[in-house]
């Protein structure tokens, strides 16, 4: 058994409820870290986030769905409630039909596909709206206009406009339920996009597809399905076939759909069979070689990112073909899909394709943060078995030559940890494994990310269970539990200093010491570390 260093911290199962309660009763002039903020916009934003956090969290919603699965599937409960909420805030489905929507589902890569698609359209001069989940450090990242998260002022304004209209659903005998966290943000996103009069909406599915509340839309311009895998099996189904059927539920009659060409043959056949049944023209997209892009893809692991980018090019081109055909000069009238469009291959890309693909940023996916000449962090929120294997392969390539490799890991939900950790444990690649809760500092997490926490769960005990499981899988690395992202970063920085000591015990920064750190297992974990490693990442977007 490898030597273990487990930090001794008290259980947080009693601490978190206190944190949540305190946040809901704080005066508006208080900030979450105890420092008074004079900026009224920030205060309004913090009030909005506090109020948002009173809604049913994602984990609570999933548990509720799991207990009443037949009801939710048979009655389309989520869609009915979403339509009711939209009606309550004054958004009719006929109005929603006026939005030009690109709807994307999938298990792996749907967010990245959306990011590539949005960037291409934005660089074509299209005013874009983008709704995605989860966020990394600030909930306002989920709703973007022209690639930028809503400002704190805009988020607060739109939030309270929607919330004040929905408060009536809290009354006894209200016709619909008060919205949960994700459904509220979905309705708010539609409200924002209509108010902003965007020309294109890139809409990422939350969970599944058929019964996801984003599927309330009736007339998307084009639909995309990225790579599929096992996920949320207690809700979506135990098998890949059942999950694929749920994802295929976003297809619409007469609406072109595109999917990656990497599905297993039987899944590819299932998708095409479903499409044929509802008369949806479905196309499989071949993987493209982007090596001729002058600066490469903005997000690139060398494999799956290229599949996502290939899908994105076809989604963007289909949208432009349908809504802005002037972008494609001298295109024959018989061209009916993006697959037939000459501009759908790299050698014929137009400038907006190139600039969009090269400029795409998707934090938390194949992301690198250089802390110093001797320390690099690699972040990938891989949270399925297949995606952890991809993350490992990517890390092995980008960390080549490092003298010390560190794994930082956690997961959320009820997923089994063994299949997710096994690729890392069996690789023999890591010298140190650290298991860290979703806390920025001890007993404190950013309020924007409270929806990922469960106040009834001892999160430190969860980390200790991960550690114990890890040690059954391998016995070579040093393993530990840290109490927060801050303490983890401090420990890693101390490792770097120790490895820079020369024979006389003096720090020598000229020593060719390199420490590489992979942070993975959960997008929420990645977001927690981004709060520490890049705390000002959204500041430039606060300028009105």
């Amino acid at each position: 058994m490898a030597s273990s260093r487990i930090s001794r911290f008290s259980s947080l199962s009693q601490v978190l409820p206190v944190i949540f309660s305190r946040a809901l009763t704080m005066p508006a002039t208080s900030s979450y870290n105890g420092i008074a903020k004079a900026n009224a916009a920030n205060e309004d934003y913090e009030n909005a986030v506090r109020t948002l956090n009173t809604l049913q969290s994602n984990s609570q919603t999933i548990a509720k769905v799991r207990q009443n699965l037949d009801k939710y599937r048979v009655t389309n409960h989520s869609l009915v409630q979403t339509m009711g909420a939209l009606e309550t805030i004054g958004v009719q489905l006929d109005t929603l039909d006026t939005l030009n929507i690109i709807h994307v589902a999938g298990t792996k890569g749907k967010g990245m596909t959306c990011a590539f698609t949005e960037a291409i359209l934005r660089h074509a001069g299209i005013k874009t709206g983008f709704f995605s989940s989860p966020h990394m450090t600030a909930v306002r990242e989920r709703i973007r206009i022209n690639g930028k998260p809503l400002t704190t002022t805009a988020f607060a304004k739109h939030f309270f406009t929607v919330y004040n209209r929905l408060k009536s659903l809290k009354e006894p005998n209200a016709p619909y339920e008060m919205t949960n966290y994700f459904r509220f943000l979905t309705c708010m996103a539609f409200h924002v996009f209509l108010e902003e009069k965007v020309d294109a909406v890139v809409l990422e599915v939350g969970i599944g597809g058929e019964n996801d509340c984003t599927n309330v839309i009736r007339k998307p311009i084009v639909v995309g399905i990225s790579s599929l895998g096992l996920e949320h099996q207690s809700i979506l189904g135990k098998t890949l076939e059942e999950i694929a059927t749920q994802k295929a539920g976003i297809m619409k009659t007469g609406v072109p759909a595109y999917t990656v060409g990497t599905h297993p043959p039987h899944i590819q056949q299932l998708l095409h069979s479903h499409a044929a049944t509802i008369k949806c023209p479905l196309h499989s997209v071949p993987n493209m070689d982007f090596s001729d892009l002058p600066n490469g893809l903005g997000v690139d692991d060398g494999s799956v990112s290229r599949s996502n980018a290939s899908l994105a090019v076809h989604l963007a081109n289909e949208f432009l073909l349908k809504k802005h055909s002037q972008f494609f000069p001298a295109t024959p009238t018989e061209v009916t899909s993006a697959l037939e469009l000459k501009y759908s291959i790299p050698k014929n890309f137009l400038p907006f394709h190139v600039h969009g693909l090269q400029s795409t940023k998707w934090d938390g996916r194949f992301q690198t943060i250089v802390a110093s000449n001797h320390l690099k962090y690699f972040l990938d929120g891989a949270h399925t078995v297949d995606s952890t294997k991809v993350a490992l392969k990517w890390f092995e390539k980008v960390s080549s030559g490092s003298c010390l490799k560190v794994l930082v890991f956690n997961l959320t939900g009820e997923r089994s940890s063994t299949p997710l950790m096994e690729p890392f444990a069996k690789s023999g690649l890591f010298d140190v494994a650290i298991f860290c809760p979703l806390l920025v500092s001890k007993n404190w997490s950013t309020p924007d990310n409270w929806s990922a926490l469960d106040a009834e769960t001892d999160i430190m005990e969860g980390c200790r269970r991960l550690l114990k499981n890890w040690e059954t899988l391998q016995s070579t690395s040093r393993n530990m539990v840290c109490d927060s992202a801050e303490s983890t970063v401090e420990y890693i920085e101390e490792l770097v200093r120790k490895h820079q000591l020369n024979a006389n015990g003096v720090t020598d920064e000229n020593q060719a010491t390199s420490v590489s750190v992979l942070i993975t297992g959960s997008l929420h974990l990645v977001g927690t570390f981004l709060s520490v490693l890049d705390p000002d990442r959204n500041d430039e977007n606060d300028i009105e």
Side-chain angles (χ1 to χ4, degrees):
M1 180 66 66
S3 62
S4 301
R5 177 186 141 190
I6 304 179
S7 302
R8 297 179 181 177
F9 300 113
S10 61
S11 166
L12 295 186
S13 59
Q14 301 302 314
V15 175
L16 280 174
V18 176
I19 297 174
F20 289 125
S21 175
R22 186 171 62 234
L24 296 177
T25 56
M26 269 198 231
T29 54
S30 296
S31 70
Y32 294 103
N33 60 2
I35 301 174
K37 294 183 183 286
N39 189 312
N42 280 342
E43 291 173 4
D44 289 343
Y45 175 71
E46 290 175 355
N47 282 329
V49 173
R50 283 197 290 269
T51 306
L52 177 63
N53 285 335
T54 66
L55 301 179
Q56 190 178 71
S57 71
N58 295 342
S59 61
Q60 291 169 328
T61 301
I62 290 172
K64 187 175 179 181
V65 171
R66 192 162 48 238
Q67 291 170 1
N68 301 278
L69 191 57
D70 290 340
K71 169 191 170 184
Y72 279 81
R73 284 185 176 175
V74 173
T75 64
N76 292 326
H77 180 83
S78 180
L79 297 181
V80 170
Q81 295 300 321
T82 303
M83 286 187 282
L86 287 170
E87 178 184 320
T88 304
I89 67 173
V91 176
Q92 304 299 323
L93 290 184
D94 287 345
T95 306
L96 212 57
D97 290 343
T98 66
L99 289 174
N100 300 317
I101 296 175
I102 300 171
H103 200 194
V104 182
T107 302
K108 299 167 290 183
K110 66 181 185 294
M112 190 189 301
T113 297
C114 288
F116 278 124
T117 305
E118 186 279 331
I120 293 169
L121 295 177
R122 175 163 35 90
H123 281 81
I126 304 296
K127 184 175 182 180
T128 61
F130 182 11
F131 178 63
S132 65
S133 62
H135 57 274
M136 290 291 99
T137 61
V139 67
R140 59 193 179 89
E141 297 169 23
R142 295 190 184 212
I143 304 174
R144 304 179 185 229
I145 303 296
N146 283 334
K148 292 186 176 181
L150 292 181
T151 64
T152 53
T153 300
F155 185 94
K157 180 186 75 171
H158 291 299
F159 176 89
F160 284 113
T161 296
V162 173
Y163 183 80
N164 289 335
R165 293 174 183 174
L166 287 175
K167 282 196 298 186
S168 64
L169 299 184
K170 292 184 176 182
E171 299 298 324
N173 302 317
Y176 302 102
E177 298 175 357
M178 182 59 181
T179 60
N180 59 33
Y181 187 100
F182 183 77
R183 190 181 303 138
F184 180 94
L185 290 173
T186 302
C187 294
M188 178 177 162
F190 288 137
H191 165 80
V192 170
F193 299 149
L194 289 167
E195 288 288 309
E196 291 287 336
K197 295 179 171 59
V198 299
D199 190 46
V201 172
V202 181
L203 185 67
E204 181 187 355
V205 168
I207 293 178
E210 182 176 5
N211 297 310
D212 185 75
C213 62
T214 63
N215 204 31
V216 70
I217 63 169
R218 303 184 300 188
K219 297 181 178 180
I221 304 302
V222 61
V223 162
I225 298 178
S226 67
S227 181
L228 302 179
L230 296 176
E231 59 160 335
H232 297 293
Q233 289 170 272
S234 60
I235 296 175
L236 302 181
K238 299 296 183 183
T239 67
L240 189 56
E241 291 81 0
E242 291 177 295
I243 291 171
T245 299
Q246 287 291 316
K247 306 291 183 178
I250 69 167
M251 296 181 191
K252 303 290 189 294
T253 299
V255 175
Y258 291 83
T259 189
V260 296
T262 55
H263 301 303
H266 70 291
I267 297 299
Q268 202 82 320
Q269 176 58 41
L270 184 153
L271 294 175
H272 282 273
S273 176
H274 178 82
T277 299
I278 66 168
K279 295 182 171 57
C280 164
L282 175 63
H283 311 281
S284 295
V285 174
N287 267 10
M288 292 191 281
D289 181 1
F290 297 97
S291 58
D292 289 337
L293 285 184
N295 297 309
L297 294 174
V299 185
D300 193 0
D301 74 314
S303 60
V304 298
S305 56
R306 298 179 185 183
S307 175
N308 297 330
S310 299
L311 178 58
V313 167
H314 286 79
L315 293 175
N317 281 356
E318 182 69 42
F319 179 90
L320 294 173
L321 187 64
K322 293 290 188 293
K323 303 300 295 185
H324 299 278
S325 59
Q326 71 272 16
F327 281 98
F328 302 130
T331 297
T333 55
E334 60 267 23
V335 170
T336 59
S337 80
L339 275 178
E340 303 166 19
L341 196 67
K342 76 172 187 177
Y343 303 105
S344 290
I345 57 176
K347 69 177 182 178
N348 294 327
F349 279 170
L350 294 168
F352 61 80
H353 290 115
V354 175
H355 297 319
L357 291 168
Q358 290 181 160
S359 67
T360 298
K361 302 299 178 189
W362 196 232
D363 286 353
R365 291 297 195 188
F366 311 123
Q367 182 180 3
T368 302
I369 294 178
V370 180
S372 70
N373 291 335
H374 306 285
L375 175 59
K376 292 182 181 180
Y377 291 91
F378 300 94
L379 303 94
D380 188 76
H383 54 281
T384 68
V385 174
D386 289 339
S387 60
T388 55
K389 293 176 181 177
V390 172
L392 177 62
K393 185 177 180 180
W394 169 69
F395 180 72
E396 190 168 11
K397 179 176 66 175
V398 295
S399 66
S400 177
S402 301
C403 73
L404 190 70
K405 296 181 176 67
V406 180
L407 173 69
V408 180
F409 187 89
N410 200 345
L411 53 79
T412 55
E414 297 183 353
R415 290 166 293 159
S416 172
S417 63
T418 298
L420 292 174
M421 291 196 297
E422 196 165 26
F424 303 116
K426 296 296 177 64
S427 71
L429 195 64
F430 297 95
D431 304 286
V432 182
I434 301 174
F435 301 92
C436 176
L438 307 181
L439 295 176
V440 173
S441 59
K442 186 177 180 181
N443 298 347
W444 186 80
S445 179
T446 59
D448 292 83
N449 281 334
W450 281 356
S451 65
L453 297 176
D454 184 349
E456 298 179 359
T457 300
D458 185 335
I459 57 179
M460 293 306 299
E461 179 57 31
C463 289
R464 287 188 283 270
R465 285 196 298 270
L466 289 174
L467 169 67
K468 184 176 181 181
N469 197 5
W470 173 267
E471 291 180 332
T472 65
L473 296 172
Q474 63 82 54
S475 59
T476 58
S477 63
R478 287 172 283 168
N479 316 312
M480 69 197 68
V481 169
C482 285
D483 71 342
S484 66
E486 283 186 356
S487 64
T488 301
V489 169
E490 289 170 2
Y491 176 79
I492 290 169
E493 289 174 346
E494 182 61 26
L495 278 181
V496 174
R497 285 190 289 270
K498 287 181 179 179
H499 278 262
Q500 288 177 325
L501 295 178
N502 61 24
N504 297 318
V506 178
T507 299
D508 181 2
E509 293 188 358
N510 293 319
Q511 287 198 158
T513 301
S514 176
V515 176
S516 293
V517 182
L518 174 62
I519 301 172
T520 191
S522 163
L523 280 167
H524 297 293
L525 179 70
V526 168
T528 300
F529 273 85
L530 282 174
S531 297
V532 176
L533 299 173
D534 190 10
D536 302 323
R537 56 192 294 271
N538 286 319
D539 279 3
E540 74 256 27
N541 298 313
D542 284 332
I543 300 173
E544 293 290 347

